Amino acid sequence: MSWNSNSFAGAVAAPLVMVIALFAQPALAQNGDDISEIEALDQALRPYVMPESGPFRPDRIAIGQAAAIADWAKSGHANAASESFAHWNDAGEIPPVCATCHAGAGFRALYGLDGSEPGIPEHPVPTGGVVDCETCHNPGLSEIREVRFPSGLMHPVGPGEASCLTCHQGRAAGSTVAEATFDQAEDEPNPELGFINPHYAVAAATWLGGYGGSGYHYPGKSYSGRFFHARPVASCASCHEPHSLQVQTDSCLTCHEQASPGAIRISRISHDGSGDLGKGIRADIETNAARLKAMLGDYAAQVAGTAMVYDGNRHPYFFADANGDGRADEADGRPVPFNAWTPRLLKAAYNWKFVTADPGAFAHNPHYVLELLYDSIEDLGGPLDLDMAAAGLHR
């Protein structure tokens, strides 16, 4: 059979001629009434268009997870513009060790959920990724039986826990600080020492307490272990809606009368020396953390010999202030990192940063963080002649 372009063109043109002819006449319906040109066109073209695709029109397909997807899209886990995910945008790629938590692709590579060998990704991961659906819903997550913490602890996990505990454990432990300061004079500045950052949003590390070993533990002291809370509170999702990440405060009301979690006390001891047992335990933690921060500055100036300022927006956060004007010294247009760390100062600063890096510490493990703060204040207070009894603090 030969190809005849003229025949094909004629076949295509014929219906168009019919349509034109239709509009050349008055538009009449089958009962003789006038109809609109659009309706007439619809009738004329009906034999020549594709039939409707049954029940699968996109606008008619119900999405069962629509609410969950909408909640996730508004959460911090989906905010590609946040510092958590946009920090490396200028570089165009995320370092492998960072990508394990700051990109869904990196997390899947860590556990081999993408078919690769489990471990830190071999190459940098492109920017633009977030904590996506596959980060928490990959079928392979059910095969993960334990998660390694910076202290070396291998913690057993249940279904759905691996992603939370992997990315909210921090990147340092008390053992990291102990190793860096081993066998050094407690109050002698060492220019080789630098601030050790526990990292950010360390809720999982706080939750496991002394058992997890993420805080610096002073020799001879005992520390509270994992905070089991009440029996129904068994995992992160017991309190946090997993898609919106909002705290489900209604569950608190099952046992506590206070409407706000921050107002819950759970202690008959005044840890901050105020004697006020009517306020929430969070207030005691915040007061002792503020006291410790002030002591860090006093110790740096009086014992280490160099004033120090803190800037939470710039790493490594603690900067030198040699002229004591309350501002970080600068060299070549950049702030000068504090470089007069003593072992005693570094231990206390690490614990302060660990406690304050978890804004929910008062709910995740209040006993543990109060112990870390008390011991740090007590140790730092020695050279500062702080009378702990007179301060009225309780561990």
Side-chain angles (χ1 to χ4, degrees), residues 289-303:
R291 179 190 291 267
L292 178 56
K293 183 183 178 184
M295 292 177 66
L296 294 175
D298 292 341
Y299 178 97
Q302 299 174 27
V303 181

Side-chain angles (χ1 to χ4, degrees), residues 276-356:
D276 184 359
L277 301 182
K279 60 186 179 182
I281 197 67
R282 180 173 66 178
D284 287 35
I285 294 172
E286 291 175 344
T287 299
N288 284 358
R291 179 190 291 267
L292 178 56
K293 183 183 178 184
M295 292 177 66
L296 294 175
D298 292 341
Y299 178 97
Q302 299 174 27
V303 181
T306 301
M308 178 174 69
V309 294
Y310 175 79
D311 184 347
N313 296 314
R314 293 190 290 188
H315 188 270
Y317 312 115
F318 295 94
F319 299 94
D321 179 22
N323 60 10
D325 66 353
R327 301 173 60 184
D329 299 336
E330 291 193 357
D332 299 324
R334 300 173 63 86
V336 178
F338 184 76
N339 60 354
W341 291 103
T342 70
R344 192 187 306 274
L345 181 60
L346 180 58
K347 294 168 185 176
Y350 174 85
N351 275 350
W352 175 82
K353 190 67 164 63
F354 175 79
V355 171
T356 57

Side-chain angles (χ1 to χ4, degrees), residues 99-193:
T100 56
C101 287
H102 293 278
F107 176 82
R108 289 187 284 279
L110 177 65
Y111 288 109
L113 302 177
D114 58 357
S116 65
E117 285 295 318
I120 302 295
E122 293 185 4
H123 306 287
V125 173
T127 56
V130 295
V131 179
D132 51 21
C133 301
E134 277 287 288
T135 305
C136 301
H137 292 284
N138 189 292
L141 281 173
S142 61
E143 303 300 320
I144 300 174
R145 297 288 184 262
E146 56 186 7
V147 168
R148 181 183 179 85
F149 275 69
S151 63
L153 170 73
M154 298 301 294
H155 177 65
V157 296
E161 287 188 308
S163 50
C164 300
L165 300 192
T166 297
C167 294
H168 289 281
Q169 59 174 246
R171 291 185 56 191
S175 57
T176 313
V177 179
E179 182 178 351
T181 58
F182 178 72
D183 204 25
Q184 297 179 35
E186 283 292 285
D187 298 309
E188 184 176 325
N190 181 353
E192 298 299 318
L193 286 178

Side-chain angles (χ1 to χ4, degrees), residues 5-21 48:
S5 59
N6 291 332
S7 298
F8 176 76
V12 172
L16 297 178
V17 173
M18 293 173 59
V19 172
I20 294 172
Y48 307 102

Side-chain angles (χ1 to χ4, degrees), residues 68-94:
I69 293 173
D71 285 342
W72 168 83
K74 293 180 289 186
S75 76
H77 279 171
N79 185 4
S82 71
E83 181 67 10
S84 300
F85 305 113
H87 180 80
W88 303 269
N89 281 357
D90 290 342
E93 58 185 22
I94 307 174

